[in-house]
Amino acid sequence: MEEVEVVVAHNERATLRVGDVFLKIDPDQTRIDVEVEAMAMAPIPTPEVLWRKPPVLALAALSGTALGRLGEPSTASSAAWAAAGAAARMLHDAPLPPWPGRSLDEIAARLDGECAWLVTNGVLPADLVTRNRQVAEAALRPWTPVFTHGDLQLTHVFVDGDEITGVIDWSEAAQGDALFDLAILTLGHEERLGDVVAGYGTDVDLDVIRAWWSLRSLVAVRWLVEHGFDPAAPGCEVDVLRARL
């Protein structure tokens, strides 16, 4: 009998693995609808949908291993990171999905609210929050919307050698800023940014990517804490924020 592996679990959703099948349990059917439609539209490899019976979505496992993990050195090659950049570029060049992402006003309001919460509750030093809020400002500018994955963290990109075998977890896919995807991909792995940009194949504004690192980390801390994760673990969000000092 194959064992059940808990991949991730919190009070919003859970993902289990049984052999070569992943079972995503999510009561938010809108989120699952987005995931299924985005995978069907994406021009890059994605998991095969085996079946769907709300609130469960069954997906076939991808071959290979994740590009890496936040807080740990990545053993993937420079060529694999460049291939991830190339895959992001292919996605960004694809036709837009029909649903919009968050507006600039929504992002700015959330950033301000999270910064206030971090300082008021003494979660992070005020100077650390203030400095990163200043850095994050560069991300709050108009952009031309592209097809973004929306949560392109390195654990969601699978590689076999130097090749991308697939990208998982598309529930945040939407129209958005291309540099946000590149920032999430390289969050906590700044040393890999050059490889990703080389694979992406066009000039990008590195200051905006750094701004997204700060913004994403600031708005993620409360959610991580409230869902049982540790943003202060070595190499994770708090270290990303400290790197901007």
Side-chain angles (χ1 to χ4, degrees):
M1 182 179 295
E2 295 186 287
E3 295 183 350
V4 176
E5 174 191 354
V6 179
V7 179
V8 63
H10 47 76
N11 61 11
E12 290 184 4
R13 65 184 83 104
T15 300
L16 310 177
R17 180 171 186 169
V18 184
D20 290 332
V21 177
F22 282 88
L23 301 175
K24 300 193 71 170
I25 305 167
D26 192 336
D28 185 339
Q29 291 308 294
T30 299
R31 192 157 49 204
I32 293 296
D33 289 343
V34 167
E35 178 154 12
V36 171
E37 187 171 350
M39 288 192 296
M41 294 178 62
I44 58 179
T46 63
E48 177 189 357
V49 176
L50 300 176
W51 51 266
R52 180 181 179 186
K53 185 176 181 180
V56 181
L57 174 66
L59 301 170
L62 293 172
S63 61
T65 57
L67 193 59
R69 293 188 179 279
L70 187 61
E72 300 176 8
S74 171
T75 59
S77 67
S78 293
W81 280 87
R89 178 63 184 274
M90 187 177 296
L91 177 66
H92 296 162
D93 286 344
L96 290 171
W99 54 91
R102 291 187 179 93
S103 70
L104 269 175
D105 287 344
E106 289 172 325
I107 294 169
R110 185 183 178 199
L111 174 61
D112 288 340
E114 293 301 318
C115 287
W117 182 87
L118 292 169
V119 174
T120 300
N121 291 279
V123 177
L124 293 176
D127 61 339
L128 183 65
V129 174
T130 298
R131 172 56 184 153
N132 278 276
R133 176 62 182 83
Q134 293 169 344
V135 173
E137 189 66 29
L140 301 176
R141 86 282 176 231
W143 59 72
T144 301
V146 300
F147 187 168
T148 60
H149 178 278
D151 193 18
L152 195 63
Q153 54 182 290
L154 69 173
T155 54
H156 293 164
V157 180
F158 278 68
V159 297
D160 186 357
D162 298 338
E163 303 294 327
I164 300 296
T165 58
V167 177
I168 65 172
D169 284 0
W170 290 81
S171 62
E172 303 297 323
Q175 299 178 26
D177 179 14
L179 299 190
F180 176 78
D181 269 354
L182 299 186
I184 300 308
L185 180 61
T186 54
L187 184 76
H189 287 77
E190 186 169 351
E191 75 283 358
R192 299 292 195 162
L193 181 57
D195 294 330
V196 169
V197 171
Y200 196 69
T202 188
D203 291 336
V204 301
D205 190 330
L206 299 183
D207 286 339
V208 172
I209 290 179
R210 296 185 183 100
W212 277 121
W213 287 339
S214 289
L215 197 157
R216 171 63 175 236
S217 298
L218 287 168
V219 301
V221 169
R222 176 172 18 181
W223 187 94
L224 292 167
V225 170
E226 291 179 346
H227 289 79
F229 300 100
D230 183 9
C236 294
E237 284 80 4
V238 175
D239 277 353
V240 171
L241 296 171
R242 287 175 178 150
R244 306 278 74 80
L245 293 177

